[in-house]
Amino acid sequence: MSTEKSKAQDMVSAGLITFPKSGDSASAGGVYTVTCVGPDGVEKWSDTFHNLVVNQGLQDMNDKYFKASGYTAVWYLGLVTGPGSGTTYAAGDTLASHAGWTENTDYTGNRKTVTFGTPTTADPSVVSNSASPSAFSITGTATIAGAFLASTTDNSGVLFSAGDFTGGDKSVASGDTLNVTYQFSLDAA
């Protein structure tokens, strides 16, 4: 009598490939442009600098867009005072707590309302939106280090971003006007 043996074996494997193209990424960020015009209408200085979009700003943007929670379309620009030894911005900064910098209020009125335009069409993969310039009428002698973007005119709202001048702190005097523009871009390249 012969004995026949058989053996069966099934094998299943699965895999997941993410980002099949090397280098796929997305980034977002903003750029401030600040121009100081003297009382005589002559430009004294100008600076363009990148910002840090803080954690609170990223969380707020994600919450408003994907969760569709209470969206506020009004944003405000503020000025940062230069402490002389340089300012520091941290991802954990909020309007209520930002140890590395101080708001400057040597200007007429409150933080200035930002009016954004229509976003550009992706060209080829960048979409940006520029705000109209916001004018700060300076009322005293001060040192300005940069600017920030916030959702309120007080410290109870959301800090979206803050940035420092590239060329160091700048001096302003009573009668000067600071014209501040903010441009935000999304890049899917």
Side-chain angles (χ1 to χ4, degrees), residues 9-11 25 44 66 77 91 110 127 146 169 181:
Q9 183 177 19
D10 285 336
M11 182 181 277
S25 65
K44 292 175 133 182
F66 290 111
L77 285 170
N110 295 321
V127 176
D169 296 349
T181 303

Side-chain angles (χ1 to χ4, degrees), residues 47 83 89-90 92 113 143 167:
D47 200 349
Y89 304 98
T113 304
T143 302

Side-chain angles (χ1 to χ4, degrees), residues 128 139 164:
S128 64
T139 59
D164 230 359

Side-chain angles (χ1 to χ4, degrees), residues 7-127:
K7 184 176 181 182
Q9 183 177 19
D10 285 336
M11 182 181 277
V12 177
S13 66
L16 174 65
I17 299 173
T18 61
F19 290 115
K21 294 189 306 183
S22 175
D24 279 355
S25 65
S27 64
V31 174
Y32 291 94
T33 301
V34 180
T35 303
C36 179
V37 178
D40 58 0
V42 176
E43 181 179 312
K44 292 175 133 182
W45 52 264
S46 184
D47 200 349
T48 300
F49 52 98
H50 290 273
N51 70 179
L52 169 67
V53 178
V54 298
N55 295 343
Q56 185 181 45
L58 293 171
Q59 181 181 13
D60 185 66
M61 184 171 62
N62 196 0
D63 188 48
K64 300 300 187 273
Y65 188 82
F66 290 111
K67 193 173 175 187
S69 64
Y71 177 70
T72 301
V74 180
W75 288 95
Y76 302 91
L77 285 170
L79 301 176
V80 175
T81 293
S85 60
T87 50
T88 57
Y89 304 98
D93 284 353
T94 66
L95 279 177
S97 177
H98 43 81
W101 57 276
T102 304
E103 181 175 2
N104 176 283
T105 57
D106 290 326
Y107 54 86
T108 303
N110 295 321
R111 294 175 188 153
K112 304 306 174 193
T113 304
V114 177
T115 304
F116 283 100
T118 302
T120 63
T121 303
D123 181 28
S125 61
V126 177
V127 176

